[in-house]
Structures are given as C-alpha cells and as structure tokens.
Amino acid sequence: MKKKILFSAALFAALAAPAVSVQAASILRTVGRHPVSAPLATVEDLRAMMHDMDRDIQSGMTTAGYPDLFPLVQAHIANYPQTQIAIVDYQPGQQIDWMLFRRNGKGRVKVARDVTWGGNVPLQAFEFAVDKDGHRYTFAVPLQCGNLALKESFPAPVQVVQQQAPVVQYKEVIKEVPGPTVYVPKEVVKYVDRPVVKEVVRTVPGPTVYVPKEVVKYVDRPMVKEVVRTVPGPTVYVPKEVVKYVDKPVEVVKYVDKEVVREVQVPGPTRTVVKKVMVPGPTKTVYVDKPVIKEVVKTEAKCCESPFHFIADLGWLHQKEEDHVNYGLGRLGVEYVASPQFSFLALAGGAVKAGGDSGEDAFVLDFLVQYNFFQCTSNGATAAPFFAGLGIGAWMTSGDDDVASENSGADIIAELGMRIFGNPTGTSAAIFLEGRAATDELDELEEYGRIGAGLRFRF
C-alpha cells in the first residue's frame, strides 16, 4: 500500500509540473490581424490617425496606465518635422512593454502587455520618444496596423550646461583733431580673465525615499501547549456487556457497525448458584459452581476498499466575452480518498468550442482538493450528499497569445456539487457547478471568466 501511495504522489507531481510554466510573455508573430487603424505609409498618415482616433487611443493609454502621456504623444506627432520621428526595423526577439490592439479591428481598444516580436522578418515601425518627469518613454507604431506601443522607458539623459568663452571684440576709435586728418590705428580690446566653466548636473525629480530604521523587539513568547484535536467522524456506540451463565464454554460472534464482537469464556472467580434438582425421593439441594463473566474482545473489521476511484466528467462552460462563447467539457481522471471528508482529484481532458466567434479549443489539466460535507443526526455524523472543491488548472490552446479569449494560461477553479445516486464509498453519480478564470484576468471576470455545470461519474 505504501508503494502505491508513493507512486500516486509522484504521478500527481508530474502532472502538476506543466501548470507552473503556463504563464509567460506574449509572443507576437504577425501584425495586422487585430489592427487599431488602416496601414500607415507616411508621417502624415500617422498624424491623421492620431487626429481621427484620438479618443480610442487615449482610452487605450488610460487602460495601460499612462493617461498623462497622451497629450505629449499627440503634440509630438502634430509638431513634426520640428520633432523627430524615425522609421526603424525591430529584429525578432525585440521586447515591448505594452501594445494597443482592437480584436479583429472592431470594438474597444485593449492592451497586450509584455509582448515579444517573434516574426520571421523585421517589424517596421515609426519610433519617437517623449520626456516627462525625468524619464524618457520610447513609443513605436507598426506601419502595418497602427497599434501604438510603448517599447521601453528609462531615466532621461542628464544634460550638461557649459558656458561659452567670450569672443574677442575689436573697437574702432576715430579721433578728430584740428589740422589734417590723422588716422589712429584700431584699438584692440581683449578680455583676458575668462570665467571657469563648471559642469552643471541637473537633479532628476522624483519622490524622496525614506528608509526606516530596523527596529528589533524582544518579546517574551508564551509557553505553547500541545493541543490534541478530536478528529471528526461518526460516533461509535459500544454495547453494554451482557453477563450470561452457561453450563459449557460458548463463543458468540456478533457484527455491530463493521466490528466483530467475540465473547470468550476465560478463567476467573465462580459464583455459587443454588439449583434445585428433581430426583426420586425427597427433594435435595445441589450447589453447582458456574463461571461468572466472559471477556468481551472487539476486533475491527478489515476493509478491502481501495482509496482510488475512477472519475469521468461531462459538462458545459460559457464565456461571455463579446460573442458569448460556449464549450463542451470532457475530462477523465482519478480520485484519491485521504479521509472521509477530504479527497484529491487529478483530471485531464478537453474543452471543444461549440459556438461564438472568439475563443479556441483547449486542452485542460486540472487538480482539485474536494471537501465532503457531513450532517449530524441523533445517532451521530453521517455523510451528506454535498461537496465543494478548489484547485488550479491549465487551459492550453493553439490560439493567438495576444488575444485574451484565445491564449493559454493558468486557471483558478471552484466547484460546488451534490451526489444524486449511489453511496459516498462506492459507485455514484453527482451534478456540479464549476467556475474558472485565468490568474492574469481576475480583474476581467465578467468578460473572460468561464462558468458552467456538468455530470460526474465515480467508479
């Protein structure tokens, strides 16, 4: 049994390993599928896009967290050629902090973060930079789609102010004297003492950081006492001992709540019992020694039930997004019963898209901890038909990584169900409600969260 449990734990760890690395940076391999505007060819096209779509781009930069940079970007493009705008080629592997996009060129402008250009050819884009509060922000606009992006940001270079040496000046002096005209040579004015040029370094503005002193406190810790907890479970009622008087040793076997109760005669004191025996002639009194009590020996019944069960799920999931996507869900897996109240589930399967324009078919790999509820009765605690589950899962697709409804990710899963057939220790069927959402989309549950129901078979 120990080898079987160790093998199951190793299998569980191997299945859980892929779920750790499902969250990674988005890799952009093509442009033009989700454009913000039509393709751009010149700076005039870029200026027209910023003028016609100023509200959409301002909304996208607000979502990205940079609303105060929109006026600077708009003014920089409007003042070209006084401001610098270059056309550059980004090589594969170029990282971009964030990029605006419009799914299929429609709807509101959204933000894709931590993007890496992974195409086979260089990405051609307009590039310019704006400075604010001592930082320089480098923006890029791909010519093929017009998706404004923040390539990078860093502290602005410090400007060194130098004073120029004074220029030697020549002063022409003409003096008038009586008599013939006399030409006086030019007076040369020279400035010998030149000021010392010092390097001027500007202090970059920013918040003042106060480093608190480390405070060490010594606290008298209270003595920790060992706490013994009572393990929840059904109450066992031990029947009272029954004293029987028998003439011969007898072994009685009783089955009480999966316990074997054996009554065995043991040596011990005897009690003298008066017994009247009818014999021919006058009545005689005969004294017979009989054993007084038997020892009650209880042996726990051995259970041959395996802690592992086969699980099969059939269900349906719905994702609102913008097109109300539906999925058919199917999973197979195993359940390990650790105690009457806790069990662990490992499931693998797929979610097939059944409707909607967005979303993609996905492979799912889920791990859940299930809690089985108990109810109290007059005879003790018994298993209730309700259960709840919580866990993590992997949602893996072949869709576009920069589209939230199509990309792969790690999901948080919650379940609530009820057994409708069978018993909690054997074959059963149950219905369940399930909700799941990606860990990087918890702030958009209404749009990208998936919720549904299903039927679970346990063998």
Side-chain angles (χ1 to χ4, degrees):
M1 179 60 71
K2 291 184 178 179
K3 293 183 178 180
K4 190 173 183 180
I5 294 176
L6 292 174
F7 174 76
S8 302
L11 177 61
F12 183 83
L15 291 175
V20 177
S21 59
V22 296
Q23 182 135 14
S26 299
I27 299 177
L28 181 64
R29 295 184 173 87
T30 60
V31 292
R33 290 186 57 188
H34 309 286
V36 172
S37 70
L40 309 175
T42 63
V43 178
E44 292 299 326
D45 296 339
L46 177 62
R47 180 182 295 151
M49 182 195 75
M50 289 296 297
H51 179 270
D52 298 339
M53 306 183 65
D54 55 348
R55 292 185 178 179
D56 294 334
I57 296 176
Q58 184 177 14
S59 175
M61 292 184 68
T62 301
T63 304
Y66 295 85
D68 53 338
L69 296 182
F70 173 75
L72 300 179
V73 172
Q74 191 176 39
H76 188 98
I77 296 175
N79 293 331
Y80 180 83
Q82 287 78 9
T83 57
Q84 183 178 2
I85 300 177
I87 297 179
V88 298
D89 291 335
Y90 293 150
Q91 302 299 322
Q94 176 65 53
Q95 295 184 350
I96 299 173
D97 288 355
W98 53 260
M99 176 180 287
L100 304 184
F101 71 95
R102 193 196 302 266
R103 193 173 62 80
N104 297 326
K106 301 177 182 179
R108 65 183 179 88
V109 175
K110 302 180 181 179
V111 180
R113 302 181 187 276
D114 194 9
V115 179
T116 301
W117 171 242
N120 298 325
V121 297
L123 176 64
Q124 196 171 34
F126 293 109
E127 183 180 278
F128 57 90
V130 298
D131 293 346
K132 181 176 175 58
D133 295 337
H135 279 73
R136 176 161 294 177
Y137 302 88
T138 302
F139 287 90
V141 182
L143 274 66
Q144 193 171 351
C145 59
N147 294 8
L148 179 68
L150 177 62
K151 175 189 172 187
E152 59 185 354
S153 63
F154 51 86
V158 178
Q159 297 182 356
V160 179
V161 179
Q162 294 183 350
Q163 296 183 359
Q164 303 226 354
V167 180
V168 177
Q169 299 181 0
Y170 298 92
K171 183 178 179 181
E172 183 177 0
V173 178
I174 299 176
K175 296 183 178 179
E176 292 185 1
V177 295
T181 303
V182 178
Y183 293 93
V184 180
K186 296 180 179 179
E187 180 179 356
V188 179
V189 180
K190 295 184 179 181
Y191 297 91
V192 178
D193 294 332
R194 297 181 180 179
V196 178
V197 179
K198 296 183 179 180
E199 182 179 3
V200 179
V201 180
R202 291 195 304 172
T203 302
V204 178
T208 303
V209 179
Y210 296 96
V211 180
K213 295 182 179 180
E214 182 179 359
V215 179
V216 180
K217 295 183 178 180
Y218 296 93
V219 181
D220 294 333
R221 297 182 179 178
M223 182 180 297
V224 179
K225 296 183 179 180
E226 182 179 3
V227 178
V228 180
R229 296 182 179 179
T230 303
V231 179
T235 304
V236 180
Y237 292 88
V238 180
K240 296 181 179 180
E241 295 181 358
V242 180
V243 179
K244 296 184 179 180
Y245 298 93
V246 293
D247 294 332
K248 296 180 180 180
V250 176
E251 179 176 339
V252 180
V253 180
K254 296 181 180 180
Y255 295 90
V256 181
D257 293 336
K258 294 186 178 181
E259 289 185 350
V260 179
V261 180
R262 299 180 183 273
E263 296 181 358
V264 182
Q265 181 180 358
V266 294
T270 59
R271 178 179 298 174
T272 302
V273 181
V274 178
K275 182 179 180 180
K276 294 184 178 180
V277 181
M278 297 297 296
V279 294
T283 302
K284 296 182 179 180
T285 299
V286 180
Y287 295 90
V288 180
D289 293 336
K290 294 184 178 182
V292 175
I293 195 170
K294 287 85 183 176
E295 181 182 9
V296 178
V297 181
K298 294 185 178 181
T299 306
E300 184 177 0
K302 295 183 179 179
C303 180
C304 60
E305 180 185 354
S306 173
F308 291 93
H309 294 274
F310 179 76
I311 300 295
D313 284 354
L314 291 175
W316 161 85
L317 292 174
H318 175 73
Q319 181 180 9
K320 180 180 178 182
E321 222 267 340
E322 293 180 1
D323 304 312
H324 295 279
V325 187
N326 295 316
Y327 298 90
L329 178 65
R331 295 180 298 201
L332 296 175
V334 294
E335 176 188 16
Y336 174 74
V337 180
S339 69
Q341 288 182 282
F342 288 95
S343 57
F344 300 91
L345 282 72
L347 303 168
V352 181
K353 187 176 73 171
D357 295 334
S358 59
E360 290 289 342
D361 297 342
F363 172 77
V364 295
L365 183 62
D366 301 334
F367 304 93
L368 299 167
V369 178
Q370 181 173 297
Y371 176 80
N372 304 303
F373 292 92
F374 277 78
Q375 61 185 6
C376 295
T377 65
S378 58
N379 294 327
T382 59
F386 302 99
F387 62 89
L390 186 66
I392 61 172
W395 184 277
M396 293 171 278
T397 74
S398 59
D400 197 344
D401 288 337
D402 60 348
V403 179
S405 62
E406 299 180 9
N407 61 358
S408 302
D411 288 350
I412 296 178
I413 307 171
E415 284 188 356
L416 184 64
M418 181 181 70
R419 188 177 68 255
I420 59 175
F421 170 80
N423 60 75
T425 60
T427 302
S428 63
I431 57 176
F432 66 94
L433 300 175
E434 180 175 311
R436 59 191 303 152
T439 56
D440 60 347
E441 296 168 358
L442 296 179
D443 56 341
E444 296 179 298
L445 285 176
E446 182 180 358
E447 188 172 4
Y448 297 112
R450 303 177 182 92
I451 188 170
L455 186 62
R456 174 167 297 167
F457 298 93
R458 180 175 184 265
F459 305 95

